[in-house]
Amino acid sequence: MQLVRSVSQAKKIIASIKKRGMKIGLVPTMGYLHEGHLSLVRIARKKCDFLVVSVFVNPTQFGPEEDFRKYPRDLKRDLRLLKLEGVDLVFYPSVSQMYPDGFRTYVEVVEWSRLLCGASRPIHFRGVTTVVLKFFNIVQPDIAVFGSKDFQQAVIIKKMVKELNLNVRIVTGRIVRESDGLAMSSRNKYLSEKERKNAAVLYQSLKSVKRAYKKGLRKPRPAVEMMAKMIEQKGGGIDYIQTVDKDTLEPVKKLKKGTLIAVAVFFGRTRLIDNILL
Ligand code: PAF
C-alpha cells in the first residue's frame, strides 16, 4: 500500500495504472475510520483492480463555527486498517496541496445544497462537491463509493456527476450501525456517556415512523411530530426532521415508497444525522 501526499505524484501513479487498463475505485474519507468507512472500502475493493482511499479533512466544507480544527484524526490507525482491507493507495494530501494560495474555484449543485443540512450549513455541500470533483480529477476513478448516512451528499454528488458529464459510477453503501442502532460516525466520539446513550433514540424514532407507515400512516406531519417528541424526550435539540423524495430531496405531501425521512439533531454540541427510506 502506497501513501501519497502530493497531487503530482498521485497523478503520475494513476496515469500508469490507467495505461495498464486497470479499473480504479475511490473511497473518499475524512479519516478517523470506523466500520462504516470500511464497509465502503470492501464494496469498492470487490468492484475495482486498483483501490484508492483519500484521507483528507476538507476545510472548505466546515463553517467558521464548526469543528474543522478539532475533527478527530488518527492517520496511523487509518493506515493500519486500510492495509488490512487491501487498499492499493492512500491519498493523504495537505490542505495546501488541495487548496494552494489564491484558490478561487468552487463547484456547487445550486438549490439542493441549501436543502436539509444545507439550511444550517450553507457552505457545506459546496465544499464537498468541490473537493470530490478535485479527487475525481486527480484519481480518475471508474467507480466511487459513498455512505448512505450522508444521503443528501450522495444525491448531490450523483447530480454533479450527471450534470458535469463525469465518467464515474457512484455506488452507495448501507448505513452501518452500533448495536443500539446509532449510525456510526466519527463525530460520535464527541458525545458524553449520557448523550451517547440518548442518541440511540434517533434510529428508534426513524424505525417508529417506518412501522407507523407500514400500518397505514401517510401524513408527513404526524410522522415528524412523533419523531420530534421521542427525540426531545431524550434531550435532543432538533435541527430538522423532514420527509422528502429520495431523488429530488423535495418535501413530499404524502409518505410513500421512496420517501426519505431525514433527521439532524444536536446532542449537546454534537450534531448527528440519520435517515431511513420508506
Ligand atoms: O463524507 C465525507 O467524509 C466527506 O464529506 C467527503 C465525501 C470525504 C468529502 O470531504
Side-chain angles (χ1 to χ4, degrees), residues 27-31 37 54 56-58 61 71 124 127-129 131-132 135 146-147 150 153 157:
V27 182
T29 81
M30 298 208 299
H37 296 111
S54 59
F56 180 63
V57 184
N58 173 35
Q61 69 188 72
Y71 193 87
H124 174 69
V128 170
T129 40
V131 82
V132 168
F135 286 138
F146 293 85
D150 301 293
Q153 169 172 281
I157 287 168

Coordinates of all heavy atoms in Angstrom, one line a residue, residues 27-31 37 54 56-58 61 71 124 127-129 131-132 135 146-147 150 153 157, ligand 1:
V27 N -12.6 5.6 -2.6 CA -13.5 5.9 -1.4 C -12.9 7.1 -0.8 O -11.9 7.1 -0.1 CB -13.5 4.7 -0.4 CG1 -14.4 5.0 0.7 CG2 -13.9 3.4 -1.1
P28 N -13.7 8.3 -0.9 CA -13.2 9.5 -0.3 C -13.6 9.5 1.2 O -14.7 9.1 1.5 CB -13.9 10.6 -1.0 CG -14.6 10.0 -2.2 CD -14.8 8.5 -1.8
T29 N -12.7 9.8 2.1 CA -13.0 9.8 3.5 C -12.3 11.1 4.2 O -11.4 11.6 3.6 CB -12.5 8.6 4.3 OG1 -11.1 8.7 4.6 CG2 -12.7 7.3 3.5
M30 N -12.7 11.4 5.4 CA -12.0 12.4 6.2 C -11.2 11.7 7.3 O -10.8 12.3 8.2 CB -13.0 13.4 6.7 CG -13.7 14.2 5.6 SD -14.2 15.8 6.1 CE -15.3 15.5 7.4
G31 N -11.0 10.4 7.1 CA -10.2 9.6 8.1 C -10.9 9.4 9.4 O -12.2 9.4 9.4
H37 N -16.9 3.3 7.2 CA -16.0 3.5 6.1 C -15.5 2.2 5.6 O -15.4 2.0 4.3 CB -14.7 4.3 6.7 CG -15.0 5.7 7.2 ND1 -14.9 6.0 8.5 CD2 -15.3 6.8 6.5 CE1 -15.2 7.2 8.7 NE2 -15.4 7.8 7.5
S54 N -9.0 8.2 -0.1 CA -8.4 9.5 0.2 C -8.8 9.8 1.7 O -9.9 9.4 2.2 CB -9.0 10.6 -0.7 OG -10.4 10.7 -0.6
F56 N -8.7 13.0 4.0 CA -8.5 14.5 3.9 C -9.6 15.2 4.7 O -10.8 15.1 4.3 CB -8.4 14.9 2.5 CG -8.2 16.4 2.3 CD1 -7.0 17.0 2.7 CD2 -9.2 17.2 1.7 CE1 -6.8 18.4 2.6 CE2 -9.0 18.6 1.5 CZ -7.8 19.2 2.0
V57 N -9.3 15.9 5.8 CA -10.3 16.7 6.5 C -10.4 18.0 5.7 O -9.4 18.8 5.7 CB -9.9 16.9 8.0 CG1 -11.0 17.6 8.7 CG2 -9.6 15.5 8.6
N58 N -11.5 18.1 5.0 CA -11.6 19.1 4.0 C -12.1 20.5 4.6 O -13.3 20.6 4.9 CB -12.6 18.6 2.9 CG -12.9 19.7 1.9 OD1 -12.1 20.5 1.5 ND2 -14.2 19.7 1.5
Q61 N -15.5 22.5 3.6 CA -16.9 22.0 3.9 C -17.3 22.3 5.4 O -18.4 21.8 5.8 CB -17.1 20.5 3.6 CG -16.3 19.5 4.4 CD -16.4 18.1 3.8 OE1 -15.8 17.8 2.8 NE2 -17.2 17.3 4.4
Y71 N -11.8 18.2 14.5 CA -12.3 16.9 13.9 C -11.2 15.8 14.2 O -10.0 16.0 14.0 CB -12.4 17.1 12.4 CG -13.2 16.0 11.8 CD1 -14.6 16.0 11.8 CD2 -12.6 14.9 11.3 CE1 -15.3 15.0 11.2 CE2 -13.3 13.8 10.7 CZ -14.7 13.9 10.7 OH -15.4 12.8 10.2
H124 N -21.5 24.0 3.3 CA -21.0 22.6 3.4 C -20.9 21.9 2.1 O -19.9 21.4 1.7 CB -21.9 21.9 4.4 CG -21.6 20.4 4.5 ND1 -20.4 20.0 5.1 CD2 -22.3 19.3 4.1 CE1 -20.4 18.7 5.0 NE2 -21.5 18.2 4.4
G127 N -18.4 22.9 -0.5 CA -17.1 22.4 -0.1 C -16.9 20.9 -0.5 O -15.9 20.4 -1.0
V128 N -18.0 20.1 -0.2 CA -18.0 18.7 -0.6 C -17.8 18.5 -2.1 O -17.0 17.7 -2.5 CB -19.2 18.0 0.0 CG1 -19.3 16.6 -0.5 CG2 -19.3 18.0 1.5
T129 N -18.7 19.1 -2.8 CA -18.7 18.9 -4.3 C -17.3 19.4 -4.9 O -16.8 18.7 -5.8 CB -19.8 19.6 -5.0 OG1 -20.1 20.9 -4.4 CG2 -21.1 18.7 -4.9
V131 N -14.3 19.5 -3.4 CA -13.2 18.5 -3.1 C -13.4 17.2 -3.8 O -12.4 16.6 -4.2 CB -13.0 18.4 -1.5 CG1 -14.0 17.4 -0.9 CG2 -11.6 18.0 -1.2
V132 N -14.7 16.8 -3.9 CA -14.9 15.5 -4.5 C -14.6 15.6 -6.0 O -14.0 14.7 -6.6 CB -16.4 15.0 -4.2 CG1 -16.7 13.8 -5.1 CG2 -16.5 14.6 -2.8
F135 N -10.9 15.3 -6.3 CA -10.5 13.9 -6.2 C -10.7 13.1 -7.5 O -9.9 12.3 -7.9 CB -11.2 13.2 -5.0 CG -10.6 13.7 -3.6 CD1 -11.5 13.9 -2.6 CD2 -9.3 13.8 -3.4 CE1 -11.0 14.3 -1.3 CE2 -8.8 14.2 -2.2 CZ -9.7 14.5 -1.1
F146 N -19.8 6.0 -1.7 CA -20.1 6.9 -0.6 C -21.1 6.2 0.3 O -21.9 5.3 -0.1 CB -20.8 8.2 -1.2 CG -19.8 9.0 -2.0 CD1 -19.6 8.7 -3.4 CD2 -19.1 10.1 -1.5 CE1 -18.7 9.5 -4.1 CE2 -18.2 10.8 -2.2 CZ -18.0 10.5 -3.5
G147 N -21.2 6.7 1.5 CA -22.1 6.1 2.5 C -23.5 6.7 2.4 O -23.7 7.9 1.9
D150 N -24.9 10.0 5.0 CA -24.9 11.3 4.3 C -25.7 11.2 3.0 O -25.1 11.3 1.9 CB -23.4 11.7 4.0 CG -22.6 11.8 5.3 OD1 -22.9 12.6 6.2 OD2 -21.7 10.9 5.5
Q153 N -25.6 14.1 0.7 CA -24.3 14.2 0.0 C -24.3 13.3 -1.2 O -23.9 13.7 -2.3 CB -23.2 13.9 1.0 CG -21.9 13.7 0.4 CD -20.8 13.5 1.4 OE1 -20.3 14.4 2.0 NE2 -20.3 12.3 1.6
I157 N -23.9 14.5 -5.1 CA -22.7 14.1 -5.9 C -23.2 13.4 -7.2 O -22.6 13.6 -8.3 CB -21.8 13.2 -5.0 CG1 -21.0 14.1 -4.0 CG2 -20.8 12.4 -5.9 CD1 -20.3 13.4 -3.0
Ligands
PAF1 O1 -18.4 12.1 3.7 C1 -17.2 12.6 3.9 O2 -16.5 12.0 4.7 C2 -16.8 13.8 3.2 O3 -17.9 14.7 3.1 C3 -16.1 13.6 1.9 C4 -17.0 12.9 0.9 C5 -14.9 12.7 2.1 C6 -15.6 14.9 1.3 O4 -14.7 15.5 2.1

